[in-house]
Amino acid sequence: MHAVRSSHPRRKGARALTVLLAAAALAAGPLVPASSAPRTGDAEDFTQVAYRGYIFTVPDSWRIVDLKKHPDTCVRFDRHAVYLGTPGTDQNCPARASGRTEALLVQPAPVAPRAVTENPTARTYRATADRIAVTAAYGYDRARIQDVLSSAGLPVAAARREEPAQQRAAAPLPKDATSFRGEGFDACTAPSQSAMDAWRDDSPYGAIGVYVGGLNRACAQQHLTADWVRTQYTRGWRFFPLYVGRQPSSDGGSCGGGCAAITSPVSQGTAGADDAVKQAAALGFGKGTVLYLDLEHYEPGGKVTDSVLTYLQAYTVRLHALGYRSGAYGNTSSLVSDLIANKSRVTLPDVIHFARWNRVSSTSDSSIPSTLWNKHQRVHQYVGDTTETHGGVRISIDRDRLDVD
């Protein structure tokens, strides 16, 4: 397996890049010709990426990653890239990553009919075809990712909207799956089974934060399935499910300018709750589960505060209507302070997950009145963006202290 860049001079338009990940696979059938040319007026070079008999035409600036050669690469959708192959068992992902842009993961798969679905809330296309499965994310340039899929002959123009009924709910976990008092951690991508076992034996942690979905979820989640969740539960792990929906601004917290921001608080908060429930239920998190809305740090005041609180309230109200509980993650100096200041006029989330990186493992905090979230309704993220090794396995994490029933 190798990736070869063309030796031809650079030019405007499409230029050849051949990524030969399996000669036998390519020999099994003819390459699918590109069905769409770069859009008129695009002043950039393009590359053609070949994989399992399909050709994807992408901007030349996008990173091309052979996952068999680089299995520890973190598959992320917050940067322009094409990931080819099966993600590695233990990816080297940062603890904090948020955002969404145009990128795709092309994996080997069994024979399947050519079909495309779209989740517009999460800005994600999923495509199947003969021997491949594609996950394609987009940020603000939906047309770009449509062009990329079309170039490989995938019927994106006929994409069906992904509805909740299309993603079957798993058998719900016992009610205590998201109840925990003690040390926990969250990581950008769910760790492998061997990593979870090593950390269960040798780390101080008993709960893990898993990113179940959301428009601004950056890391791919190849391990995060209903079977994975149930296995962790049976081995003693407990959970706090996180949903990375729209953000107060594009550049707050860990967004780095790449996050989709809140523009229509009520409709987007409601849609986020619907999607969060769909994604959580597919993993086995049933009614009564707390689904934590991740809201990165922002400068509070004026319109941004009103937008954030309206968005979170719409999310909370909709979750309650669907039988779930609402959690909210945010900084003590932005989201938490805004919630406290406006507690009489908003519907507060049921559980607060507050970020103050003071290295104090406690759910008490001087900025939060003792009368709020005082009945086992708190999670404290007290260390962020750190790396730890337990049982010989190294993972980038945030540390959390939980007190949640």
Side-chain angles (χ1 to χ4, degrees), residues 35 72 99 132 152 158 163 231 266 286 300 322 379 400:
S35 60
D72 62 342
I132 64 167
E163 300 293 345
T231 297
V266 174
L322 295 172
V379 182
D400 305 273

Side-chain angles (χ1 to χ4, degrees), residues 105-116:
L105 168 63
V106 188
Q107 301 182 81
V111 173
R114 290 192 186 190
V116 181

Side-chain angles (χ1 to χ4, degrees), residues 18-286:
T18 304
V19 180
L20 300 178
L21 291 184
L26 291 175
L31 293 178
V32 177
S35 60
S36 70
R39 284 170 285 166
T40 302
D42 281 355
E44 60 183 309
D45 289 345
F46 285 81
T47 285
Q48 291 186 324
V49 182
Y51 182 71
R52 286 200 146 204
Y54 297 83
I55 297 177
F56 295 85
T57 300
V58 301
D60 187 60
S61 59
W62 288 20
R63 185 184 180 200
I64 313 299
V65 182
D66 177 344
L67 292 173
K68 186 168 185 179
K69 293 178 67 174
H70 305 284
D72 62 342
T73 299
C74 182
V75 177
R76 299 170 59 170
F77 297 132
D78 61 341
R79 53 184 63 183
H80 293 304
V82 180
Y83 302 96
L84 300 167
T86 302
T89 300
D90 293 301
Q91 298 178 41
N92 184 20
C93 289
R96 305 296 299 166
S98 299
R100 180 61 59 98
T101 192
E102 294 71 48
L104 67 158
L105 168 63
V106 188
Q107 301 182 81
V111 173
R114 290 192 186 190
V116 181
T117 60
E118 180 185 12
N119 181 336
T121 302
R123 291 187 179 179
T124 302
Y125 282 103
R126 300 188 189 279
T128 58
D130 185 5
R131 302 166 61 248
I132 64 167
V134 181
T135 301
Y138 60 92
Y140 294 103
D141 198 348
R142 179 170 177 256
R144 169 70 77 204
I145 211 68
Q146 289 176 327
D147 286 350
V148 172
L149 294 173
S150 293
S151 72
L154 299 171
V156 67
R160 295 177 292 107
R161 184 185 178 101
E162 186 179 302
E163 300 293 345
Q166 292 176 243
Q167 193 159 357
R168 182 177 299 175
L173 295 162
K175 296 293 186 182
D176 67 341
T178 53
S179 298
F180 188 74
R181 301 178 191 178
E183 295 293 316
F185 74 94
D186 58 272
C188 191
T189 189
S192 66
Q193 188 59 60
S194 60
M196 291 298 293
D197 290 344
W199 276 48
R200 183 63 184 161
D201 290 341
D202 293 320
S203 82
Y205 304 113
I208 177 172
V210 290
Y211 290 87
V212 300
L215 166 61
N216 287 303
R217 181 178 70 172
C219 293
Q221 301 285 346
Q222 82 275 19
H223 298 309
L224 190 56
T225 64
D227 287 343
W228 183 92
V229 171
R230 186 163 292 276
T231 297
Q232 308 327 309
Y233 175 81
T234 61
R235 297 188 182 189
W237 287 100
R238 297 299 178 260
F239 307 93
F240 48 112
L242 297 149
Y243 184 83
V244 194
R246 286 182 175 265
Q247 295 299 310
S249 67
S250 64
D251 58 356
S254 59
C255 287
C259 286
I262 300 165
T263 56
S264 181
V266 174
S267 62
Q268 290 168 347
T270 301
D274 285 338
D275 189 56
V277 166
K278 176 182 71 175
Q279 305 301 337
L283 295 171
F285 295 114

Side-chain angles (χ1 to χ4, degrees), residues 323-380:
Y324 284 73
R325 292 187 290 161
S326 169
Y329 166 87
N331 199 284
T332 53
S333 63
S334 53
L335 177 67
V336 178
S337 62
D338 270 348
L339 285 171
I340 293 169
N342 293 278
K343 64 181 184 295
S344 62
R345 70 179 186 90
V346 299
T347 302
L348 294 176
D350 301 294
V351 180
I352 194 69
H353 181 187
F354 64 95
R356 184 193 289 276
W357 294 356
N358 58 5
R359 307 188 75 85
V360 177
S361 177
S362 170
T363 56
S364 297
D365 191 271
S366 60
S367 68
I368 304 176
S370 59
T371 54
L372 293 179
W373 302 294
N374 60 349
K375 297 179 180 178
H376 308 295
Q377 297 168 279
R378 295 186 183 188
V379 182
H380 177 196

